Amino acid sequence: MSGEIADIELVKRAQARDRDAFDLLVRRYENYAYNLCYRLTGNAADASDVLTDGFTRAWNGLVNFRGDANFRTWMHRIMVNTFLDFRKKAMARPSYSLDQAIEMTDQNLQRQIQDDGPGPADILETKELQNELQKALMKLPDDRRMLLVLFHFEEHSYEEISEILGLPVGTVKSRLNRARLSLREILTKMRELS
């Protein structure tokens, strides 16, 4: 970390409303945060939305950062909470398939929009194993997916995950074990079907 400004110094400056200091923190952690958001949402567009909202919340909530956890852990907690809020809103919003028929006065008109090209997940996840893993992750309930992403992809310790999710370490360990078993079961079923 020679030549780099320590996170705690940037946080102090950002708490004094120094946007340049906060921008440095964002640049330092945006890849980590994006990967977390992508793993949680399963697609690039939603990941970008959660990331943007999460960093906005971090800027607005920085005055409350006490330094009990390191900045990265604190920021990850914000991203996880932002994702959970995003999911609640998404579940409340109706969605419509582009393939469903449009009701007209006396006839049905089939939608003509069809995209046979690769989606954002296919473009970003070029390896077949990563695609399979991502699909399996998305079949997990949000709480289990979060644990797996935080531990295996973001490489947080049990203690850090405990701080991020506000759970006792023992609960994190037991739930992480159940999440692994669920993921293994999903992957096994997917492989049997292919």
Side-chain angles (χ1 to χ4, degrees):
M1 194 155 155
S2 62
E4 279 190 23
I5 301 171
D7 284 356
I8 194 67
E9 178 59 33
L10 291 173
V11 167
K12 286 178 185 174
R13 287 175 36 198
Q15 285 176 321
R17 307 324 274 168
D18 180 343
R19 285 193 180 269
D20 291 333
F22 187 72
D23 287 346
L24 284 171
L25 285 168
V26 168
R27 277 185 264 145
R28 188 172 286 174
Y29 292 107
E30 67 186 334
N31 287 335
Y32 295 115
Y34 177 80
N35 288 331
L36 170 67
C37 294
Y38 182 80
R39 291 284 180 200
L40 292 174
T41 62
N43 70 70
D46 290 345
S48 293
D49 289 346
V50 171
L51 181 74
T52 301
D53 192 24
F55 277 129
T56 301
R57 289 181 184 193
W59 170 254
N60 292 332
L62 202 55
V63 295
N64 299 320
F65 180 73
R66 297 183 313 267
D68 297 339
N70 66 43
F71 178 77
R72 183 175 179 221
T73 302
W74 181 78
M75 184 219 28
H76 273 77
R77 183 182 313 132
I78 289 175
M79 293 299 168
V80 166
N81 289 338
T82 303
F83 163 73
L84 292 172
D85 290 345
F86 177 83
R87 290 289 294 193
K88 285 179 197 170
K89 288 178 191 171
M91 294 174 105
R93 267 190 322 252
S95 61
Y96 305 98
S97 169
L98 293 176
D99 294 326
Q100 84 185 72
I102 300 173
E103 289 293 325
M104 301 209 35
T105 53
D106 57 348
Q107 63 184 9
N108 281 341
L109 173 68
Q110 292 292 330
R111 293 191 186 249
Q112 298 297 312
I113 301 169
Q114 185 173 348
D115 181 9
D116 294 328
D122 296 326
I123 293 168
L124 291 174
E125 302 285 349
T126 57
K127 297 180 183 175
E128 189 175 309
L129 182 58
Q130 289 174 327
N131 282 331
E132 188 176 322
L133 180 60
Q134 184 64 35
K135 288 176 187 174
L137 279 170
M138 294 311 297
K139 291 182 179 188
L140 289 171
D142 293 343
D143 59 332
R144 290 186 181 185
R145 183 169 61 246
M146 277 188 286
L147 285 165
L148 290 168
V149 168
L150 289 170
F151 187 80
H152 291 288
F153 296 98
E154 298 300 316
E155 299 179 352
H156 283 286
S157 69
Y158 294 121
E159 292 76 16
E160 290 172 326
I161 295 171
S162 170
E163 286 182 47
I164 291 169
L165 299 179
L167 297 171
V169 173
T171 303
V172 168
K173 289 179 181 181
S174 64
R175 288 185 183 177
L176 183 58
N177 190 47
R178 283 190 296 249
R180 286 182 187 125
L181 292 173
S182 296
L183 182 63
R184 181 180 298 143
E185 187 177 305
I186 290 169
L187 284 168
T188 300
K189 285 180 183 176
M190 287 173 63
R191 287 180 181 146
E192 288 173 358
L193 294 174
S194 57

